[in-house]
Amino acid sequence: MQALIDFLSLHPALALGVVFAAALLESVAVIGTVIPGSSVVVAAGILIGLQVLDPYWVAVVAVIGAILGDGFSYWLGRHYQERLGTWWPLSSHPELLARGHAYFAKHGGASVFLGRFLGPLRAIVPVVAGMSGMPVFRFTVVNVLSAIAWSAAHLLPGALFGASLQLAGAVSSRLFILLAGLVAVIWLCIVLFRLAHRSARAFVSRQRDRVVGWARARHGVLPRIALSLLDPERPESLGLLIAAVMLLGGAWMFLGITEDVLSSDPLVQFDHLVFVTLQKLRNDFVDNVMIAVTELGSAIVAITVIAAVALVLAWERCWRTLAYWLTAVGFSQALVWILKMMLERARPIVMYNGADRFSFPSGHVASSIVVYGFLAFLLARAKSPKIRFTVTLLVVGLVGLIAFSRLYLGAHWLSDVLASLSLGTAWVALLSIVYMCHVRPEQLPARALSVTALCTLMLVGAAVVATHHAADAVRYAPRQFTSSPTMSDWWVDGWQRLPARRTEVDGDHEEPLSVQWAGTANQMVQELEAGGWHRPPPWTLRTTLLWLLPSTTVGQLPVLVKLHQGESPTMSFVREVDPSHRLVIRLWPTSYQVVAPDDLHGALWIGMVTLERLVHPANMATLAMTDQDFDRPAAQLGKYLQTQGVRLKIKRRDTTAVLLVH
């Protein structure tokens, strides 16, 4: 391994070709059993950690090589079938094919994925898959996924080791203990889950039989409901039970989210975190894709699909199903409009007029899940499990993409989307229950319905994308908020209007925000650095591993991220007190400009200063604990700044000090 690392480090351009060849040849029939492809890829990972090789290109060539190797072996098996057994070296080692056939017969398509990680079988299983007639598409999907997993499983440990060669000896025993403990916990959880599953299954079966026996001996509404949901002799009972669970779960979730929105509970704080995070991740390419997806969920597309399905049902004289179809979409849209007008919740970004300017719940998401969800129920009813699974997967994918597009484009809060999904699920489940119980079986034209809905969605969706995309690109463009309100009385008493404590995503109030600073980022950096403060080390593989060493000093460690209203600090600074104690400043920008003494204007930042001390539990690792005395760190920061001639004053709010700095 050391010789291989030395060679590849001297020839980085050649290294990519070596990685590609090793990944490919290791998967080729028969010869792959003796090619050390795994060792080559691990060595390449080590060179990634040493910053000799580019991680992107190494991963690409490793994945492509692994895909082509297994693909070639699959082609051999599919093309030559049993004749391969008469060729050398398989003719001399017939046990290889026998083992491959046995493994494939036991695990099926999963053997292609698992076999790549098993040395004796990795080059035989793809051949057997081809000989056994495994469908090309299915093999390709498993082949690609296994190649990605195999490459990651060999590159990542190597990269971790290569980035931390100097720490490897010091932390290896601790890493082993932690990993062994993690494996033990996972194994214990699996064992307990299996025991609980076996016990729960038997218990549930006994209770179901008791309830069914009780219901069969009685008359009334409750016994009839119990039999319709639990009687194993009724083929529709499982579907009714699933729909009942979806109805109760969806209704409970919708009411809970509505309560959180009305009372500004922690979910609203998480709304802000999701919105800010997604807006930071936006780029032009994904914007165009998400705009096209959200246009597929627009009112024009939904109404056209509704009308097309209604026409097919009317043509086939499925009048009862048509009535349910129109009731499903009509009532849901009326309910969404009523809720919008009642709650009047503002959108994250103003982009609509009229009733559409309100955010809760999302009309796009609600109409999508009702239209396509109820259509999926009609198409999948009384069909085979494979058809039901396929239809469900397609609908979940479409509705999920539309829901995510509303979040990504800033048109809705997370709670709006979750409320719409839960409300739509509950409404579709309720309609499904009533339909199964009260509508006599109608011969629905499933093929005509599916083709009509799909073609309408594609054609009308493409037309809407073509005609509305330019205008929607302007509507959903990322907003640049440049104007900030001015707080003219901040220096006197306006500071009291800012939050007193850091707020976690779950709404809990944590450390006091003891610093308010008016100035630019460059000014703060200059004044703090002049006072002996500096930026903490960044989070890297090396600094992360340092937490596993009990001998680590405080100056070597990065600062743990703490969120305020869903956002991480924009700037952090540290000052070492001694090898095991340090002062930490975390600062967040506000939306305010302030007017301070001498009519000086500046942006207003809010933050906290804390004292952290290192502890070493069981002498196995290092932890940073925050001291609960918050006044002393604020006083120390004020002292350091006063020596630099910075204008400041200390105010009291409740029992804590607030440092105003300009």
Side-chain angles (χ1 to χ4, degrees), residues 92-173:
S92 301
H93 301 280
E95 70 278 1
L96 290 177
L97 273 179
R99 292 176 63 186
H101 278 291
Y103 192 76
F104 187 83
K106 181 178 180 180
H107 299 283
S111 61
V112 177
F113 188 97
L114 301 174
R116 193 185 288 275
F117 297 88
L118 302 176
L121 295 174
R122 62 174 175 257
I124 298 298
V125 170
V127 176
V128 175
M131 296 171 67
S132 303
M134 184 177 181
V136 175
F137 177 77
R138 185 181 178 192
F139 173 82
T140 303
V141 172
V142 179
N143 182 23
V144 171
L145 294 177
S146 65
I148 295 173
W150 178 83
S151 301
H154 291 82
L155 287 175
L156 291 178
L160 178 64
F161 180 79
S164 314
L165 285 177
Q166 295 180 347
L167 297 175
V171 305
S172 58
S173 59

Side-chain angles (χ1 to χ4, degrees), residues 336-658:
V336 167
W337 186 85
I338 292 171
L339 289 171
K340 282 180 179 287
M341 299 304 293
M342 288 178 59
L343 299 178
E344 295 186 346
R345 189 187 192 194
R347 293 179 182 269
I349 300 174
V350 178
M351 55 180 61
Y352 294 99
N353 297 317
D356 288 338
R357 71 183 185 276
F358 300 129
S359 177
F360 186 92
S362 168
H364 271 69
V365 178
S367 64
S368 298
I369 192 170
V370 171
V371 171
Y372 302 113
F374 192 64
L375 180 61
F377 162 75
L378 296 177
L379 295 176
R381 190 184 181 204
K383 296 298 189 296
S384 66
K386 182 177 292 187
I387 293 178
R388 291 201 299 267
F389 176 78
T390 302
V391 172
T392 302
L393 185 63
L394 291 174
V395 169
V396 169
L398 176 61
V399 175
L401 282 174
I402 293 174
F404 179 75
S405 72
R406 306 305 287 166
L407 291 175
Y408 177 86
L409 297 173
H412 285 284
W413 303 105
L414 175 64
S415 54
D416 303 335
V417 172
L418 294 179
S420 299
L421 291 174
S422 57
L423 178 64
T425 300
W427 177 232
V428 170
L430 177 60
L431 283 173
S432 303
I433 292 173
V434 178
Y435 186 93
M436 285 187 284
C437 293
H438 297 286
V439 177
R440 68 175 183 269
E442 290 184 325
Q443 190 64 32
L444 296 179
R447 180 171 298 180
L449 283 175
S450 57
V451 172
T452 300
L454 182 60
C455 292
T456 303
L457 174 64
M458 295 176 62
L459 294 176
V460 179
V464 170
V465 171
T467 57
H468 291 67
H469 194 82
D472 285 340
V474 176
R475 182 197 302 273
Y476 296 116
R479 302 297 197 269
Q480 300 295 331
F481 301 100
T482 56
S483 60
S484 301
T486 300
M487 187 184 294
S488 58
D489 58 345
W490 167 72
W491 190 256
V492 180
D493 58 5
W495 58 272
Q496 299 183 69
R497 297 199 294 271
L498 296 176
R501 287 184 173 271
R502 182 177 70 86
T503 305
E504 277 286 5
V505 174
D506 59 5
D508 290 342
H509 298 298
E510 302 293 344
E511 303 92 345
L513 295 171
S514 54
V515 179
Q516 296 184 20
W517 197 318
T520 65
N522 289 334
Q523 290 172 342
M524 289 187 290
V525 171
Q526 293 175 2
E527 290 166 354
L528 287 170
E529 288 182 347
W533 299 79
H534 59 85
R535 295 294 184 95
W539 283 93
T540 62
L541 288 173
R542 183 180 184 278
T543 56
T544 301
L545 288 174
L546 285 172
W547 292 93
L548 296 174
L549 292 178
S551 59
T552 303
T553 62
V554 72
Q556 299 174 286
L557 297 173
V559 170
L560 297 175
V561 175
K562 295 191 176 185
L563 302 179
H564 172 53
Q565 295 180 348
E567 297 188 38
S568 58
T570 302
M571 292 194 298
S572 298
F573 297 89
V574 296
R575 180 185 176 108
E576 290 83 18
V577 178
D578 56 50
S580 61
H581 292 79
R582 68 179 175 186
L583 294 170
V584 181
I585 301 175
R586 297 176 175 88
L587 294 167
W588 293 265
T590 71
S591 60
Y592 291 103
Q593 294 280 329
V594 301
V595 179
D598 303 327
D599 291 330
L600 296 175
H601 290 67
L604 182 58
W605 298 67
I606 193 169
M608 62 183 187
V609 54
T610 56
L611 178 66
E612 291 185 352
R613 58 185 176 86
L614 301 186
V615 296
H616 311 288
N619 204 34
M620 286 292 298
T622 296
L623 298 177
M625 307 296 293
T626 300
D627 194 274
Q628 296 303 303
D629 182 1
F630 301 109
D631 280 351
R632 187 173 61 166
Q636 290 179 294
L637 173 61
K639 180 180 178 181
Y640 292 136
L641 293 177
Q642 283 179 333
T643 60
Q644 306 301 317
V646 177
R647 185 191 299 273
L648 60 87
K649 62 180 179 181
I650 299 178
K651 296 286 188 177
R652 302 292 302 185
R653 177 154 54 185
D654 297 331
T655 59
T656 59
V658 179

Side-chain angles (χ1 to χ4, degrees), residues 199-216 223 225-234 237-238 241:
S199 302
R201 186 174 183 178
F203 175 79
V204 170
S205 297
R206 289 195 302 268
Q207 298 304 315
R208 182 200 62 190
D209 294 341
R210 290 179 58 185
V211 173
V212 170
W214 170 86
R216 286 174 176 171
I225 293 176
L227 287 175
S228 64
L229 296 177
L230 300 175
D231 191 351
E233 296 181 1
R234 300 189 179 187
S237 62
L238 180 59
L241 180 61

Side-chain angles (χ1 to χ4, degrees), residues 4-292:
L4 184 62
I5 293 172
D6 293 340
F7 174 78
L8 294 180
S9 62
L10 293 175
H11 306 86
L14 180 61
L16 293 178
V18 173
V19 171
F20 174 80
L24 187 148
L25 293 175
E26 189 181 63
S27 301
V28 172
V30 184
I31 65 172
T33 58
V34 295
I35 298 295
S38 299
S39 300
V40 174
V41 177
V42 170
I46 293 174
L47 294 177
I48 290 174
L50 295 173
Q51 299 182 347
V52 175
L53 297 180
D54 180 81
Y56 173 79
W57 286 110
V58 173
V60 168
V61 299
V63 170
I64 293 176
I67 292 173
L68 293 179
D70 262 20
F72 177 69
S73 297
Y74 171 81
W75 176 83
L76 285 176
R78 190 177 181 88
H79 186 73
Y80 292 103
Q81 297 292 322
E82 298 300 332
R83 283 178 289 171
L84 283 176
T86 63
W87 296 0
W88 184 88
L90 289 177
S91 59
S92 301
H93 301 280
E95 70 278 1
L96 290 177
L97 273 179
R99 292 176 63 186
H101 278 291
Y103 192 76
F104 187 83
K106 181 178 180 180
H107 299 283
S111 61
V112 177
F113 188 97
L114 301 174
R116 193 185 288 275
F117 297 88
L118 302 176
L121 295 174
R122 62 174 175 257
I124 298 298
V125 170
V127 176
V128 175
M131 296 171 67
S132 303
M134 184 177 181
V136 175
F137 177 77
R138 185 181 178 192
F139 173 82
T140 303
V141 172
V142 179
N143 182 23
V144 171
L145 294 177
S146 65
I148 295 173
W150 178 83
S151 301
H154 291 82
L155 287 175
L156 291 178
L160 178 64
F161 180 79
S164 314
L165 285 177
Q166 295 180 347
L167 297 175
V171 305
S172 58
S173 59
R174 292 174 174 82
L175 278 174
F176 174 77
I177 293 173
L178 291 175
L179 291 176
L182 179 62
V183 170
V185 170
I186 294 175
W187 174 82
L188 181 62
C189 290
I190 293 174
V191 171
L192 293 176
F193 175 79
R194 288 178 175 175
L195 291 175
H197 180 263
R198 286 198 294 266
S199 302
R201 186 174 183 178
F203 175 79
V204 170
S205 297
R206 289 195 302 268
Q207 298 304 315
R208 182 200 62 190
D209 294 341
R210 290 179 58 185
V211 173
V212 170
W214 170 86
R216 286 174 176 171
R218 288 168 174 79
H219 301 284
V221 176
L222 187 59
R224 287 201 301 270
I225 293 176
L227 287 175
S228 64
L229 296 177
L230 300 175
D231 191 351
E233 296 181 1
R234 300 189 179 187
E236 74 279 2
S237 62
L238 180 59
L240 286 172
L241 180 61
I242 294 174
V245 172
M246 292 174 62
L247 171 60
L248 295 176
W252 173 80
M253 185 175 178
F254 173 74
L255 294 175
I257 293 172
T258 304
E259 180 187 6
D260 285 351
V261 170
L262 292 175
S263 59
S264 298
D265 268 6
L267 178 60
V268 177
Q269 300 289 342
F270 195 66
D271 281 343
H272 182 73
L273 170 62
V274 173
F275 172 75
V276 171
T277 302
L278 290 177
Q279 294 306 299
K280 290 179 179 178
L281 296 176
R282 292 185 62 169
N283 62 70
D284 292 340
F285 174 77
V286 181
D287 282 0
N288 290 324
V289 174
M290 288 295 105
I291 291 172

